[in-house]
Amino acid sequence: MDVRDQAVNALSQHRRAALLVCGAGVAALGLGLGYKYLRKPEKVVRVGVVSQLLIHPLKSGKAVPVAEAECGSRGLRSGHLEDRHWLVITEDGHMVTGRQEPRLVLVSLTCEDGQVCLNGPDMEELRFLFKQPDQLVIDCRVFGADIQGRDCGDEASRWLTRYLGAEKTFRLVHFETQMRPRKPADSEALFPQTEQVVYADVGPVMLLSESSVKDLSSRLDEDVTVERFRPNIIISGCDAFEEDSWDEIQIGSVRLQRVMSCGRCIFTTVDPKTGIISRKEPLETLKR
């Protein structure tokens, strides 16, 4: 099935979904792969099983595990939750991530009954309407590229500013369907000009195997979990770093093509359980 001809595709009952692969490429270093959609069908071979699906609605925020998701051209979606579709910004529109504010990884953004719910340690839950057409559309900057977002209101701004405890003011914006997305090709030439992302770093979907994380943990003083690397699709039943050689994959009826290995930065040194940044591991071990 050509997924480009489908608006969305379901990744359902993922705990029983087989991961199939066709073709093989040169192994690349790093944990996590960026994937784009695949056009032509080919013979496939089973190589693993999807064990988890994770959506990160808020860029740098806490992952939300889901039982099923729709796979669209801009990433995974489950109900109103779309991957990396909310963004914290400064007053002048520049993005704020866990690289600058590590405690963002402890902020949970979910949706319920037409409302967005914000939760964080030692903070009262904040709820506001998912649709706020009267709020301003703000011009934002994400990795030097222009992109818009609908402001989520003053209450959300005060909540984030109080939580992060900084002297500066933060605001929360939401990407809406009619807005113009970014093009990964503007920063990574491996992506075709037709590909689109919202607030994600580069690719719309990231895949990672449990065995790769387990292998890395065996070389560290303390174990790390898959959440530290912020993938969308987690695979079990394969060897460590085997995913680096998968050029094209199929999960159920969804077919994806590998574009590149995900480069790793200082964000991997933020502990997703504590929100503390070490600026050392596991990045130093990954460099070896």
Side-chain angles (χ1 to χ4, degrees):
M1 180 181 70
D2 185 349
V3 297
R4 288 183 184 273
D5 295 335
Q6 303 290 328
V8 290
N9 297 276
L11 293 175
S12 60
Q13 298 180 335
H14 64 86
R15 294 188 185 280
R16 296 195 299 273
L19 176 68
L20 307 173
V21 64
C22 50
V26 178
L29 298 177
L31 290 175
L33 305 173
Y35 280 85
K36 68 177 181 181
Y37 293 105
L38 171 69
R39 284 183 177 275
K40 62 180 181 179
E42 295 183 13
K43 184 178 179 180
V44 293
V45 177
R46 176 171 173 154
V47 293
V49 175
V50 177
S51 59
Q52 292 186 70
L53 294 174
L54 299 177
I55 292 179
H56 303 81
L58 173 64
K59 184 173 180 65
S60 291
K62 183 178 288 188
V64 178
V66 295
E68 61 182 37
E70 297 172 341
C71 186
S73 61
R74 299 172 187 173
L76 299 192
R77 172 179 179 172
S78 179
H80 284 314
L81 294 181
E82 296 183 80
D83 196 69
R84 277 91 168 182
H85 271 55
W86 279 265
L87 175 70
V88 177
I89 59 170
T90 57
E91 285 190 291
D92 60 1
H94 285 81
M95 72 170 183
V96 178
T97 73
R99 301 170 182 86
Q100 301 88 33
E101 298 290 342
R103 293 181 69 241
L104 271 179
V105 301
L106 304 178
V107 175
S108 169
L109 188 152
T110 56
C111 293
E112 182 180 328
D113 299 327
Q115 293 184 317
V116 177
C117 309
L118 276 180
N119 282 281
D122 302 319
M123 297 290 291
E124 290 188 9
E125 181 181 73
L126 175 67
R127 292 190 172 219
F128 54 89
L129 291 176
F130 176 80
K131 294 184 178 180
Q132 301 190 68
D134 294 333
Q135 293 289 350
L136 293 175
V137 173
I138 298 177
D139 294 324
C140 308
R141 296 284 287 176
V142 174
F143 293 110
D146 295 325
I147 190 169
Q148 292 182 321
R150 176 83 65 183
D151 187 66
C152 292
D154 291 340
E155 281 192 285
S157 175
R158 286 192 290 269
W159 192 97
L160 284 167
T161 301
R162 185 166 62 252
Y163 171 73
L164 294 174
E167 295 182 359
K168 63 181 73 174
T169 298
F170 298 101
R171 302 201 71 85
L172 180 67
V173 296
H174 176 226
F175 183 88
E176 297 177 343
T177 306
Q178 76 278 9
M179 296 174 179
R180 181 180 296 178
R182 293 161 48 236
K183 290 185 176 182
D186 291 343
S187 57
E188 290 289 348
L190 292 173
F191 283 87
Q193 286 291 332
T194 53
E195 297 298 325
Q196 300 176 344
V197 291
V198 179
Y199 302 136
D201 284 15
V202 181
V205 178
M206 186 185 296
L207 178 148
L208 176 65
S209 75
E210 293 177 352
S211 55
S212 294
V213 178
K214 184 176 180 180
D215 179 273
L216 175 62
S217 290
S218 70
R219 293 178 276 138
L220 298 170
D221 292 334
E222 296 183 6
D223 289 348
V224 292
T225 62
V226 293
E227 287 81 8
R228 186 175 290 243
F229 302 97
R230 310 185 68 76
N232 300 115
I233 303 172
I234 296 93
I235 305 301
S236 63
C238 65
D239 292 335
F241 307 105
E242 187 179 345
E243 67 268 34
D244 287 349
S245 66
W246 299 338
D247 274 357
E248 301 166 356
I249 65 170
Q250 178 173 326
I251 305 171
S253 62
V254 176
R255 294 172 65 86
L256 302 169
Q257 183 176 13
R258 176 185 183 274
V259 178
M260 60 180 289
S261 295
C262 179
R264 292 306 180 176
C265 67
I266 197 71
F267 198 7
T268 60
T269 69
V270 177
D271 188 333
K273 296 180 181 178
T274 64
I276 296 174
I277 186 169
S278 71
R279 300 189 180 276
K280 293 182 179 180
E281 294 292 1
L283 192 57
E284 290 186 356
T285 297
L286 285 171
K287 290 178 180 178
R288 295 171 189 164

